[in-house]
Amino acid sequence: MKKTIIFVICFMAISLNFNKVSSQDIIMPAPDKTGGKPLMQALNERQTIRAFSKDELTLQQLSDLLWAGWGINRPDLKKRTAPSARNVQEIEVYAVLQGGLYLYDADSHILRQIHNKDIRSFCGTQDFVATAPLNLVYVADMGKLGKKEGDVIKDSDLHWSYANTGFIAQNVYLCCASENLGCVIRGMVPKEKLAPEMGLRSNQVIILSQTVGVPQN
Ligand SMILES: Cc1cc2nc3c(=O)[nH]c(=O)nc-3n(C[C@H](O)[C@H](O)[C@H](O)COP(=O)(O)O)c2cc1C
């Protein structure tokens, strides 16, 4: 009887867990939190790269980049690798891959698929954007700051979100330097064209985008 109860509980726990993951989501390996170059070496090698090879990123690289950028590093407090003003954590990191649009779910360290269209060409006006393997899009969910759909959002409402995004983007820069990847943070983003392709609500605001890939030799 005791064994049956334990079996039923285990089965329910596994089923519940599976329900949370759709088959299109990307389940990444755990980030490598102990590897990489020493911090001072990564800082010395941090740079903007705008020419990328055709190589895809590995799942491990994707995992390390997302965790370094905006992952949870203190699970008991749900706090992150980057600071955020008043700990509102309104920045959402979307990953635009050839296979579709994904939202980084930091709690479970999974990329949740939003759709399966290749929208890389909408992420920027520079030619490398459409062919690089990954564009991260940093979006401020102003709903977390009390803005409802249809509310006017002024530039001055977004000051903290720009600052918060800067910290995340620098983490990604340092992770790229550490893993011999290249990246460029970009303000040149056609936001009016990209937002509908991402299906964003009117109280979600695109802040910046960051292209990542393997540097071209
Ligand atoms: C807020 C911000 C916006 C930027 N926007 C773009 C951009 O749209 N396109 C681009 O190629 N580089 C962009 N850059 C990258 C800068 O041009 C780059 O950081 C600068 O030339 C210094 O080079 P470094 O990063 O290698 O030190 C941006 C950088 C920042 C901080």
Side-chain angles (χ1 to χ4, degrees):
M1 181 62 179
K2 200 173 163 189
K3 274 187 184 162
T4 312
I5 292 170
I6 290 170
F7 175 79
V8 170
I9 290 171
C10 287
F11 180 76
M12 281 171 67
I14 290 168
S15 307
L16 283 172
N17 220 16
F18 271 123
N19 282 342
K20 288 187 200 153
V21 179
S22 97
S23 58
Q24 293 81 23
D25 294 343
I26 298 178
I27 311 217
M28 299 177 288
D32 179 0
K33 299 181 189 173
T34 54
K37 296 175 185 172
L39 175 63
M40 297 304 262
Q41 187 184 344
L43 281 164
N44 195 43
E45 294 175 18
R46 188 217 64 85
Q47 61 179 311
T48 289
I49 300 275
R50 298 184 183 84
F52 305 100
S53 78
K54 290 198 169 71
D55 295 350
E56 292 298 324
L57 301 179
T58 65
L59 274 184
Q60 187 65 57
Q61 287 169 329
L62 204 52
S63 167
D64 293 353
L65 283 165
L66 288 160
W67 184 80
W70 195 218
I72 292 180
N73 66 355
R74 288 152 292 166
D76 46 335
L77 301 170
K78 291 223 170 185
K79 288 195 169 181
R80 310 273 191 134
T81 52
S84 82
R86 292 188 285 130
N87 192 33
V88 173
Q89 301 190 9
E90 81 280 13
I91 302 301
E92 295 173 325
V93 179
Y94 287 81
V96 178
L97 299 164
Q98 187 174 22
L101 172 68
Y102 297 81
L103 174 62
Y104 178 49
D105 174 347
D107 277 331
S108 42
H109 195 64
I110 283 174
L111 281 171
R112 305 271 179 202
Q113 191 178 60
I114 308 294
H115 63 60
N116 62 7
K117 280 193 292 176
D118 181 359
I119 59 165
R120 288 176 296 169
S121 63
F122 292 92
C123 292
T125 49
Q126 295 165 281
D127 54 3
F128 58 80
V129 174
T131 52
L134 171 66
N135 284 279
L136 297 171
V137 182
Y138 301 114
V139 173
D141 178 1
M142 297 305 286
K144 288 194 175 166
L145 287 149
K147 295 285 182 190
K148 298 190 184 60
E149 284 189 65
D151 283 356
V152 174
I153 297 174
K154 301 192 291 281
D155 282 350
S156 57
D157 296 323
L158 298 169
H159 286 167
W160 295 126
S161 298
Y162 275 95
N164 295 335
T165 299
F167 292 106
I168 300 171
Q170 175 71 348
N171 284 355
V172 170
Y173 260 108
L174 290 174
C175 185
C176 284
S178 175
E179 303 209 6
N180 300 317
L181 295 172
C183 73
V184 48
I185 185 73
R186 292 180 298 97
M188 282 194 280
V189 181
K191 297 179 182 181
E192 317 71 36
K193 287 186 183 157
L194 179 56
E197 292 295 328
M198 296 176 68
L200 297 182
R201 301 184 311 270
S202 64
N203 57 352
Q204 288 178 293
V205 181
I206 295 169
I207 303 295
L208 295 170
S209 179
Q210 191 165 20
T211 306
V212 184
V214 177
Q216 206 164 46
N217 288 324

